[in-house]
Amino acid sequence: MRQIDLFNIHYKPCAHPAGGIVSQYFVGTADRLSSRFADMRALDSIWRHPFDNMDIIGFQGYRKHINFRDDIKGWKEVPLWQFNEYQDWLYKWDGALIADLLMEHDIIVTDPFDVRFDGDITDNFRRSRSPHDWTMLEHVVAQHGLKLDFHMPDVTSYFFVTTLPVFQSYMATWWKVFRTLAPLVTAEDAHDAAYKALPLAYLSEFFFSMWLEQSGLKKKIMPLMLCWDAR
């Protein structure tokens, strides 16, 4: 059985037990710059300090879980009792399906979120978040010679499961872009408070979506389970 490490990302110490393939990863709020990356701090830390014998690696949020048990498509919001019941199942699961899926696919991702009501991802980000910061992302991506599609119709969350080499390849590309972009992001023209607090996290999610599309990786799409009452 291949080693599988699936991390639940938390912002405060979590009393809920983990088990099996699942570990709780507490990112905290170390400083202003790192906190602006939100969940990406966990990915960055694991990339820089991988665990021994790491083979298959995945990430999900404390309120957003990749749904490996049901075949319901799309994003499904559930009550807390159902979310906790799924967690109990997940923490006892051996993850064999994940290993099987990654024999035929390169990466497991969640259903993308369609933004065509706004036009495309550029229109959506400029309208709902920050025109200035999106322009900075476009400039930095071009500066690094990356060919990404800024007119995609949907956004894929950076909660995923893949092999260590694929994860390392993505993170190396992400870091190359974001070490240049971070000082340029101001959020001064942002349209909502959530973006102002976490601009680099939002930009990272859109960047992941574009990187994934051009990567050539064979994707397995799984549903996403959400519970806003989870703590």
Side-chain angles (χ1 to χ4, degrees):
M1 181 70 179
R2 302 172 68 180
Q3 178 170 319
I4 302 172
D5 293 290
L6 178 61
F7 296 98
N8 285 350
I9 304 172
H10 289 262
Y11 299 97
K12 57 184 179 181
C14 177
H16 199 294
I21 64 171
V22 182
S23 299
Q24 309 290 9
Y25 197 97
F26 169 54
V27 294
T29 53
D31 56 66
R32 181 175 179 272
L33 179 59
S34 66
S35 65
R36 294 166 81 207
F37 281 104
D39 297 331
M40 282 301 300
R41 287 176 290 159
L43 279 68
D44 182 69
S45 178
I46 294 295
W47 172 54
R48 296 178 188 279
H49 308 286
F51 292 8
D52 291 340
N53 303 316
M54 190 168 273
D55 181 14
I56 294 174
I57 182 171
F59 299 90
Q60 57 185 11
Y62 68 100
R63 295 185 297 190
K64 300 177 183 178
H65 282 5
I66 304 170
N67 190 345
F68 293 104
R69 187 173 62 174
D70 298 326
D71 59 0
I72 300 171
K73 297 184 181 299
W75 293 25
K76 182 181 179 183
E77 187 172 342
V78 300
L80 183 59
W81 71 263
Q82 188 174 349
F83 193 71
N84 288 341
E85 191 273 334
Y86 174 74
Q87 288 182 319
D88 290 339
W89 171 84
L90 182 63
Y91 297 163
K92 299 173 184 176
W93 185 47
D94 65 4
L97 175 63
I98 291 175
D100 290 344
L101 290 174
L102 290 177
M103 293 293 290
E104 299 181 1
H105 302 82
D106 300 306
I107 189 169
I108 300 168
V109 295
T110 60
D111 278 286
F113 182 76
D114 194 331
V115 298
R116 282 177 292 185
F117 58 85
D118 265 343
D120 57 34
I121 61 171
T122 290
D123 298 326
N124 175 265
F125 201 97
R126 289 182 177 278
R127 183 173 293 114
S128 64
R129 294 174 179 88
S130 168
H132 170 271
D133 294 348
W134 189 255
T135 297
M136 293 300 99
L137 176 63
E138 291 176 331
H139 289 336
V140 171
V141 165
Q143 177 182 337
H144 287 284
L146 298 176
K147 304 297 183 182
L148 303 182
D149 183 1
F150 281 85
H151 300 287
M152 291 170 48
D154 48 45
V155 180
T156 299
S157 170
Y158 50 59
F159 297 141
F160 58 84
V161 185
T162 190
T163 59
L164 184 60
V166 172
F167 173 65
Q168 291 173 325
S169 175
Y170 166 64
M171 290 302 298
T173 303
W174 174 85
W175 174 243
K176 180 173 63 174
V177 169
F178 274 81
R179 67 181 177 182
T180 308
L181 179 66
L184 306 176
V185 170
T186 65
E188 290 179 355
D189 61 351
H191 303 305
D192 63 13
Y195 179 81
K196 289 181 179 180
L198 307 169
L200 295 170
Y202 282 93
L203 286 161
S204 294
E205 185 170 56
F206 278 67
F207 177 80
F208 173 74
S209 303
M210 294 187 289
W211 173 87
L212 182 67
E213 183 66 21
Q214 64 81 43
S215 68
L217 297 175
K218 187 175 181 181
K219 298 174 288 186
K220 173 61 179 178
I221 298 176
M222 304 292 288
L224 182 69
M225 178 182 289
L226 303 92
C227 179
W228 300 116
D229 292 326
R231 295 290 183 266

